[in-house]
Structures are given as structure tokens and as C-alpha cells.
Amino acid sequence: MTKKVHQNEPIVTHLYTADPSAHVFDGKLYIYPSHDLDHDGPDNDNGDQYRMEDYHVLSMKSIDGPVEDHDEALHVRDVPWASKQMWAPDAAYKNGTYYFYFPARDHDGVFRIGVATSQSPTGPFKPEENYIEGSYSIDPAVFVDQDNRAYCYFGGLWGGQLEKWQTGTFLPHVEEGPAIDQPAIGPRVAELSEDMLSFKTEPKEISIVDEDGKPIVAGDEDRRYFEGPWIHKYNDYYYLSYSTGTTHKIVYAISKSPEGPFEFKGTILNPVIGWTTHHSIVEFNNKWYLFYHDCSLSDGVNHKRSVKFTELHYNEDGTIQTIDPYKQS
Ligand code: FUB
């Protein structure tokens, strides 16, 4: 059990943690992060430095802690279809069961998305034999809407392999995305089946457009989608937030429909220390919080990250105030 925690500081320091997906289940806050491994291996654009093997679930009864580490919830050795790189996960609750969604490379080196179940929000989670049929790439974010329909958002460029799926089938040698003046590659969304274990619909590409309804183009690196989707609802709008990767921002776009198109609105989080940025947004005891990570605890080592949080504020028109991660509010 870790002592009290403060905004904009690592919530745990005994593990490197990243990619936090925060949820409130039964009045308690649960954080589902990646578990970064401490190693001295090379760092490259393919993300080989992110060698994660397992997941720990963290929980907090109140926003100032303490934080409880519930130990190993799932390990790659227990997932029949997976070979390595247990990247950014998410969790959902439906039908009395907790579902844990995670990406990993299969035995052919292709990223897929798996699901595991438990009767407890902290696991241990029992994985399904196979990955979700029709799933690919990384960073699942699962959203259960008020009408009980559930959607899985996913996808990531570069090491996340989304460029290789542009035709709908996996083309291992494709490295390039669209030309800079063409619509950028969008994240994918699929509706989940009633039992939450398979896709009910084929993954669709989400369109992100500017204020004139024109698609954000691939060369617009301050606004185009890169990885790490998250969906939350506020005042009847769906907010799709994501990382811009090469420009290191968390930005957002809104829609009246969970499947878009989404209109780009602005920046939520300015760049943090470290290459990746990844987040989630959660309402807890009538306040909104952004969970994110940076590499301050490791002095900037990209694969040794730490989960942090900070309060998030909306303006009256529903836009989100931009957060500077190193300026205390
Ligand atoms: O943690 C590994 C990868 O780095 C995640 O899947 C991406 O979102 C980025 O944070």
C-alpha cells in the first residue's frame, strides 16, 4: 500500500507504470496500467523497448490515496495466443463480470487484442483461448454506453501496426501512411457482442474532421490520430481523445454519435517528459480527472514511465481547458 498521493506526482514508485485506464466501479477508483520493465535494451520507432509481460491493477478509495497494488492480474505466459509486449490495456464491467482488454503480439508478431474475465475488478483475469476475431493493432478502449451497448476503440501507428491494415488485410511490409495532404488514418471502432467477448460488427475507421467538416490530413501532426484512444461522455456528447504521437499531445474531438464523425476541438495535455503520452478521463466524486504518464521518475527513459493524475476542467461551452503537466494549478 503506497502512502498519500498528490496531483502531478507518480501514484506509485515501486513499479514503472504507464497507459493508465481509470474507472470507477462500486464507488472505488481502479487504474489499469501497463507495467513497464526496467531494462537497458535499445529504444526504436518500432517500440521494441516496451517489453511488458504482465499487468497489475491499482486502486484508490479516495483521490489522495493511498494506492493499493493488487499484484499480478494477468501474465503473458498464461495467454495461449500471445507471445510478447502486453501494451496499453482497458477494463469494463457488464453483466456482473469484469472484462480486461489488452493488446499483445501473437505468435506471428502481429498485434491483436485479447479479453480476459474475472468476478473481481482486481483480477486475476482468465484469458480467452484466442484473441478477439477481427481485432488488430493496439490500445483497446472499451466504452459501455447508457443504453448498455459497448464499443471497442483501438489502433496505433508505427509499432502499433495500423499502417499495415490500410487495405483491411495485414500487409507486413507497409510502413507508410497516406500522403500528407490526404485524410489521416483514423482509429477503429467495433461494437462488442452482448457477452463482451467478440466483435458484433466489423471494425470501422473513425473520421476526425475540422470545424468545416474536412478530414484532418496525415501531415497535420498536431491534430491527426496516432494512438491511445479514450471515449467519455459529457453533456450528451461523446469525447474521443487520443495521442498525436510525433507531436506528443493529448487532443480531443467530439460527436453526437459514438461512431463519429468527430469534430476536432483542441489540446487537453501539453507534451510530457518522454516520447509517449497516453491518458484516460474519469469522473470520481463529482470531479473530473485526467490520468496520464510521464518519464520524470526515470529522468526521461522512454520505457520507464509513471502514472500520474490531475484534475480536468470544462469550460461552460463544453470545451476542455488545456493542462500544462508541469504547472501546478
Ligand atoms: O505502452 C506501450 C505503448 O506506448 C502503448 O500501447 C502506446 O499507447 C504508448 O503509450
Side-chain angles (χ1 to χ4, degrees):
M1 184 96 72
T2 312
K3 54 187 185 319
K4 279 197 170 283
V5 288
H6 302 280
Q7 294 204 30
N8 309 104
E9 288 185 10
I11 63 169
V12 292
T13 53
H14 66 290
L15 298 174
Y16 287 115
T17 55
D19 308 326
S21 289
H23 290 276
V24 175
F25 295 131
D26 251 341
K28 197 167 162 183
L29 187 59
Y30 292 89
I31 301 120
Y32 299 86
S34 302
H35 174 197
D36 279 349
L37 278 188
D38 189 354
H39 65 84
D40 297 323
D43 188 308
N44 58 34
D45 286 349
N46 198 36
D48 294 341
Q49 63 276 28
Y50 302 112
R51 294 184 191 170
M52 299 84 101
E53 295 177 348
D54 68 354
Y55 297 103
H56 285 224
V57 179
L58 308 174
S59 71
M60 295 156 90
K61 282 194 190 126
S62 99
I63 198 66
D64 55 2
V67 179
E68 194 170 350
D69 173 359
H70 298 274
D71 292 328
E72 191 175 286
L74 181 68
H75 194 283
V76 67
R77 76 169 90 81
D78 299 321
V79 184
W81 62 266
S83 63
K84 61 180 180 179
Q85 292 183 297
M86 305 283 266
W87 285 10
D90 193 16
Y93 174 76
K94 197 175 165 182
N95 310 327
T97 298
Y98 293 90
Y99 298 87
F100 184 76
Y101 297 87
F102 58 98
R105 285 185 193 262
D106 68 11
H107 295 289
D108 297 322
V110 180
F111 267 110
R112 302 286 186 176
I113 294 167
V115 56
T117 54
S118 176
Q119 291 309 300
S120 161
T122 58
F125 290 94
K126 187 176 175 333
E128 295 291 292
E129 270 308 291
N130 292 311
Y131 56 78
I132 298 176
E133 199 183 322
S135 73
Y136 53 90
S137 196
I138 58 167
D139 292 357
V142 170
F143 175 74
V144 183
D145 209 346
Q146 278 140 327
D147 60 7
N148 235 17
R149 288 167 78 176
Y151 301 86
C152 181
Y153 299 80
F154 62 93
L157 303 184
W158 294 16
Q161 302 180 332
L162 199 49
E163 288 91 341
K164 301 182 190 303
W165 288 96
Q166 286 172 87
T167 61
T169 46
F170 184 72
L171 300 176
H173 303 298
V174 173
E175 303 280 346
E176 297 293 317
I180 54 173
D181 58 351
Q182 292 303 303
I185 296 176
R188 304 300 202 255
V189 60
E191 189 172 344
L192 285 161
S193 54
E194 182 53 29
D195 67 6
M196 301 287 275
L197 301 176
S198 62
F199 288 166
K200 182 169 159 185
T201 60
E202 277 206 16
K204 276 199 284 210
E205 184 169 3
I206 289 178
S207 168
I208 302 172
V209 300
D210 66 14
E211 63 280 13
D212 299 321
K214 294 203 188 90
I216 301 291
V217 294
D220 186 350
E221 295 186 24
D222 280 318
R223 298 193 294 178
R224 66 96 174 78
Y225 178 81
F226 190 91
E227 63 186 0
W230 186 258
I231 282 274
H232 76 282
K233 220 169 167 179
Y234 181 78
N235 281 353
D236 288 334
Y237 277 93
Y238 297 87
Y239 285 61
L240 168 69
S241 39
Y242 54 92
S243 163
T244 60
T246 49
T247 52
H248 315 288
K249 296 177 185 180
I250 298 291
V251 298
Y252 73 107
I254 64 170
S255 178
K256 279 279 187 190
S257 155
E259 298 180 321
F262 287 84
E263 185 186 325
F264 186 88
K265 282 291 171 187
T267 299
I268 297 176
L269 181 69
N270 284 329
V272 293
I273 296 168
W275 201 95
T276 65
T277 184
H278 191 117
H279 77 300
S280 59
I281 294 170
V282 67
E283 187 179 18
F284 185 45
N285 293 338
N286 303 315
K287 287 187 172 186
W288 287 88
Y289 296 96
L290 176 81
F291 278 76
Y292 65 102
H293 69 225
D294 79 359
C295 302
S296 53
L297 188 64
S298 65
D299 283 332
V301 180
N302 284 329
H303 64 271
K304 293 199 246 180
R305 300 167 287 181
S306 299
V307 168
K308 298 179 164 185
F309 74 93
T310 195
E311 198 175 337
L312 174 144
H313 299 278
Y314 296 90
N315 296 310
E316 270 188 18
D317 63 0
T319 53
I320 294 176
Q321 295 178 11
T322 304
I323 294 166
D324 180 335
Y326 303 107
K327 198 164 131 200
Q328 303 300 329
S329 49

